[in-house]
Amino acid sequence: MLWALQEVGVSEVWLDARRPRQNKADNAAIAAWRAQRVLAPDLRVEFVHAEDEPLLWMADIVAGAAGAAHWDNDDRYIRPLDGIVETIPLRLE
């Protein structure tokens, strides 16, 4: 996801903080991707707690709407977001 966001011009990403061990593993993965030049060094990635930043909930809401449209063939939740949200197809390599 970070690579895809970077490709469309996102320069700052806030991730929902989890347990310290999980955040440490995520930071290690991000550092490895930077070392492999998969992620640019200037892509800012921070961990914040959802209770400190309610806008993090928006990502869950949009992901739920996109998931319902894709997996359940129910687009009533994503339809109001047409023109606001861009769905980026996932490329598994």
Side-chain angles (χ1 to χ4, degrees):
M1 177 183 76
L2 293 174
W3 178 84
L5 291 171
Q6 172 183 273
E7 288 298 302
V8 297
V10 171
S11 61
E12 184 174 356
V13 177
W14 290 357
L15 299 175
D16 195 1
R18 302 178 298 159
R19 294 184 176 145
R21 193 174 111 223
Q22 293 168 311
N23 294 342
K24 185 176 179 180
D26 290 342
N27 275 321
I30 291 166
W33 294 327
R34 289 188 199 284
Q36 297 166 4
R37 300 190 194 283
V38 173
L39 290 180
D42 60 343
L43 177 65
R44 187 172 168 191
V45 180
E46 293 187 36
F47 292 92
V48 295
H49 293 279
E51 61 269 10
D52 296 331
E53 181 47 71
L55 285 177
L56 282 177
W57 304 344
M58 187 61 68
D60 290 336
I61 294 166
V62 172
H70 180 78
W71 299 108
D72 301 333
N73 203 26
D74 181 355
D75 68 348
R76 66 185 149 161
Y77 303 110
I78 199 74
R79 208 174 321 122
L81 301 175
D82 282 348
I84 299 170
V85 172
E86 178 183 356
T87 302
I88 302 170
L90 179 62
R91 280 191 298 181
L92 299 175
E93 297 176 5

